[in-house]
Amino acid sequence: MQYYDKLIFELSKKGRTGYSLPVNKFPPAPELPVELRRETPPDLPEVSEPDVVRHYTNLSQMNFGVDTGFYPLGSCTMKYNPKINEEIAALPGFNGLHPLMHAGLVKGALKVYQELGRALSAITGMEAFTFDPCAGAHGELTGLMIMRQYHLNRGDTARTKVIVPDSAHGTNPASAAVCGLEVVEVKSLADGRIDVEALKPLLDETVAGIMMTNPNTLGLFETRIKEIAKLVHGVGGLLYYDGANMNPLMGMVRPGDMGFDIMHLNLHKTFSTPHGGGGPGAGPVGVAKQLVDCLPDLRVSGFHGNFGILLRAYAYLLMLGRQNLKEVGQYSVLSANYIKESLKDVYKLPIEGVCKHEFVFDGLIDDGGHDGVPGATTLDVAKRLLDYGFHAPTIYFPLLFHQALMIEPTETESKETLDAFIDVMHQIAAEAAEDPSILREAPHRTPIRRPDETAAARNPVLKFKDA
Ligand SMILES: *Cc1c(COP(=O)(O)O)cnc(C)c1O
């Protein structure tokens, strides 16, 4: 352990301070009522200003972000967050707003909502958007509540089921369940697309709708989407579009034209706003014309969502303009196919063909296992990547393959970065074939190695513990 890996409490030295104030220059502090006073002074670390700065700077560098390296996290679109977005969000006229200000004083902010809504409608083919939801999953729940309300408004109370493909993101069935709807799974075919023949018998007047993402989580375009839309509409159901995979389609194809009625966008994915750490995000929900009356009049979040995030997305759109927006998708598709074709000699590619912005490998072709020596798994490959300074791809999702390794490079990476990643992935495959234990014990160079990820998420230790 290095000296500054110590926690700030361990660096504390009695009587040391990080400030000095002029003596006797301040009036006496007002007396606190006795019952509010603590009996013992708080046990705070006593450290100098440089110690504090080093403590937090070192902690910040133990994290991996899109500003520190390549982050090919499939399904999550971890693209670069342009810094001009931050400058615009920091403008005092925006930054100083209070959500309870009189509408007459926040006309600029209202205009941002209006113009962003108009731009998103143009991109998606939806009629109108609500900006309340704070994440994709929150948008799904909002969208399903809209779906249910639409049916109830027509006196149609029998629609209790939502159809979800087996390739869906876990939030889809979870949101449906939270909304009180029954989830019915539809299988995929060997080519990774929905089995339309398996869908047909599921469709009847108890179906509220179907949730789909297109391209799906394998990065494959659902080529029979128009037919699916016709079938679902034919029994009175609606189509919900999970917009997390909108990146390759912007300016090219619109969910509204594919037949979708309700959708969310993840602004923290497709529209370059900061992502991760649990938020703040933005999952605006758009609806087709016949559903505008069902947009929520009661808010699903405080104060119309995360305004600062919406503003960043608006800045991103204005910066790109119509033509460059199209190129976002084209370059993201090019990057994904370039990596896929460059690595399929050593990683199993279960579905051949051109993908959209992401694709899935099913582990190593040669995992190095032999004569009772276990081979390297997808988890081991992911951990080894950290040693080489790249973030791991999404692993073990979608659930269709046992060793899924889901790579999404995005359009913001240079060819040199993609080549460096391809080299490292080849090197890791060679290591696995030669001696899989190198991978099984990875990472070797990170501050911590293999934490219990479930425990870390479920029972995080957030306070200093004196050893
Ligand atoms: C990320 C993602 C979601 C959930 O979005 P959050 O903003 O993380 O709540 C839903 N579906 C797909 C396909 C996703 O990739």
Side-chain angles (χ1 to χ4, degrees), residues 73-77 134-140 167-172 175 212-213 215-217 242-245 264-269 275 281-283 357-358 397 406 408:
L73 197 68
S75 197
C76 284
T77 312
C134 293
H138 197 190
E140 289 169 23
S167 61
H169 194 267
T171 51
N172 291 185
S175 301
M212 285 178 68
T213 181
N216 63 29
T217 59
D242 175 341
N245 291 339
H264 77 260
L265 286 165
N266 307 60
L267 300 188
H268 45 285
K269 297 182 180 175
H275 186 163
H357 61 308
E358 64 192 4
F397 172 76
M406 186 186 202
E408 177 180 3

Side-chain angles (χ1 to χ4, degrees), residues 270-316:
T270 314
F271 296 88
S272 86
T273 69
H275 186 163
V285 168
V287 294
K289 208 176 212 141
Q290 70 275 20
L291 287 151
V292 171
D293 291 345
C294 302
L295 280 174
D297 48 1
L298 280 175
R299 291 194 204 124
V300 296
S301 72
F303 306 119
H304 304 299
N306 283 316
F307 177 66
I309 294 297
L310 303 172
L311 194 53
R312 285 168 174 85
Y314 182 56
Y316 176 72

Side-chain angles (χ1 to χ4, degrees), residues 427-443:
Q427 200 162 326
I428 291 173
E431 287 174 350
E434 193 159 311
D435 178 7
S437 72
I438 300 175
L439 270 64
R440 297 180 70 85
E441 284 156 29

